[in-house]
Amino acid sequence: MSEAIRVLGLRKSFKTQTVLDDVCFTVADGEVFALLGSNGAGKTTLIKILTTLLRADGGSAAVCGYDVAKQGRRVRESISLTGQSTAVDDILSGRENLIMMAKLRHLSDPKSEAERQLAQFGLTDAANKPLSAYSGGMRRRLDLAMSMIGSPQVVFLDEPTTGLDPQGRLAVWETIRAMGKSGVTVFLTTQYLEEADSLADRIAILHNGSIVAQGLAAELKRLAPPPKLVFSFLEEGDMAQASGVLAAYDVKSEALTLTVTTDGSVGQTTEILSQLEGAGIVATFAQKPPTLEEAFLTIIREGQHEPQVCVK
């Protein structure tokens, strides 16, 4: 597949603080790519470089085949950027905001483009309402609709659901999924691990200025601690007895619940269940597979992975 974004050896410092250090990755055309990292990891700095708002100190980056340092105008013509705060005009209606953006993009028929985006993002019924009447999720969807004016090839979304309630977040997720299905390349930064797990084709983790892991969500989850069995009990006596039966395993107890770390094999799971059944212990259980959050925390807290080496 052709590359929508290519980053090679990117470096950026502010005075004595190194923010990006030899960062390398690629994003394929039509891919939803999520960049994860703690606060201050350098996610927004990286987006600013890729969108020509900031110059790197070293290395190179290309978006849609254009060098971000040397061909900034061509890059800006090919992309859109939605930042952490909505960039909408509160005085205008939703329709007027979209028409204004279409005019700024020098489109030949701003009104038709506005109607198309209103329909695509489910905002037609609220088109004439002032922005003061929009919920947080609606404002964010309008912001995303404005970013799609002019059919950009790559859309950068910098923590697009920050501050939204669960309902608003889910609505924005559906919007991002639709953007990806339409063939647009989406570069997403987020602090919500479940967001990346749900939306992204591939994920990269930025830590201490470097990419320390990247791949499919399923691949990253293999870096997490082993899967677990979670047992729930009705009586404290049953839980205490079960804890004794399973003393040979890594067991943690909390509020009538035992969590047993396993090796993930069918054999060991069957063995644990057989031991509890043989002791006559009554409990319900659920399997808890590794999560992306566990993988993320393992990587950045335990320092199990070194920065990935760039292929020049």
Side-chain angles (χ1 to χ4, degrees):
M1 297 179 65
S2 57
E3 295 171 348
I5 302 172
R6 183 174 181 81
V7 175
L8 186 61
L10 211 61
R11 301 189 306 278
K12 182 64 181 179
S13 297
F14 295 101
K15 296 184 179 180
T16 59
Q17 181 183 6
T18 299
V19 179
L20 301 175
D21 184 14
D22 204 27
V23 171
C24 298
F25 62 88
T26 60
V27 179
D29 276 331
E31 186 173 44
V32 178
F33 182 89
L35 182 67
L36 305 180
S38 305
N39 281 336
K43 303 186 299 296
T44 298
T45 297
L46 181 55
I47 276 192
K48 285 182 176 180
I49 292 172
L50 294 178
T51 56
T52 76
L53 297 177
L54 190 65
R55 277 192 171 271
D57 297 333
S60 63
V63 178
C64 300
Y66 302 117
D67 188 297
V68 299
K70 300 176 182 177
Q71 298 172 289
R73 180 177 177 181
R74 299 303 297 270
V75 171
R76 290 189 291 274
E77 290 173 346
S78 305
I79 68 170
S80 71
L81 167 63
T82 296
Q84 296 180 20
S85 301
T86 54
V88 293
D89 191 317
D90 288 337
I91 298 176
L92 304 178
S93 67
R95 177 178 281 111
E96 289 168 338
N97 267 279
L98 289 166
I99 290 174
M100 176 185 68
M101 181 58 68
K103 289 180 177 179
L104 291 173
R105 284 277 193 175
H106 304 292
L107 300 189
S108 58
D109 191 350
K111 292 184 179 179
S112 294
E113 178 68 6
E115 295 305 318
R116 185 171 74 87
Q117 297 301 338
L118 286 167
Q120 181 175 339
F121 287 84
L123 293 168
T124 301
D125 291 343
N128 293 321
K129 293 181 179 179
L131 267 292
S132 58
Y134 279 41
S135 66
M138 290 172 65
R139 291 170 68 92
R140 202 43 154 169
R141 279 158 51 207
L142 177 62
D143 208 23
L144 293 173
M146 292 173 68
S147 74
M148 292 297 290
I149 293 286
S151 303
Q153 295 173 252
V154 179
V155 175
F156 291 90
L157 305 178
D158 192 10
E159 301 190 13
T161 62
T162 297
L164 295 183
D165 60 27
Q167 184 177 3
R169 183 173 298 132
L170 290 174
V172 172
W173 285 12
E174 289 304 315
T175 300
I176 294 172
R177 287 192 187 97
M179 294 166 71
K181 289 178 181 178
S182 71
V184 176
T185 302
V186 178
F187 186 101
L188 166 75
T189 73
T190 180
Q191 293 188 62
Y192 299 113
L193 281 298
E194 72 276 15
E195 187 163 281
D197 198 359
S198 177
L199 298 176
D201 298 310
R202 281 194 310 121
I203 298 168
I205 296 176
L206 184 66
H207 182 56
N208 289 335
S210 299
I211 301 293
V212 293
Q214 60 179 309
L216 303 175
E219 293 171 336
L220 294 180
K221 288 176 187 177
R222 297 189 191 116
L223 306 176
K228 299 174 178 63
L229 291 174
V230 180
F231 294 93
S232 299
F233 303 88
L234 295 176
E235 303 289 342
E236 289 189 4
D238 287 338
M239 187 180 76
Q241 185 182 357
S243 184
V245 170
L246 301 177
Y249 300 94
D250 179 7
V251 180
K252 294 182 179 179
S253 61
E254 181 182 5
L256 294 177
T257 299
L258 288 182
T259 301
V260 185
T261 299
T262 73
D263 61 11
S265 68
V266 173
Q268 189 176 75
T269 299
T270 302
E271 178 183 282
I272 291 171
L273 295 176
S274 296
Q275 289 181 30
L276 292 177
E277 184 179 13
I281 298 171
V282 178
T284 59
F285 82 97
Q287 292 179 303
K288 183 183 177 185
T291 66
L292 185 60
E293 180 177 1
E294 290 172 331
F296 176 82
L297 293 175
T298 297
I299 292 167
I300 67 168
R301 285 184 179 176
E302 299 181 12
Q304 291 187 0
H305 290 75
E306 296 296 325
Q308 296 189 350
V309 177
C310 292
V311 179
K312 305 296 184 180

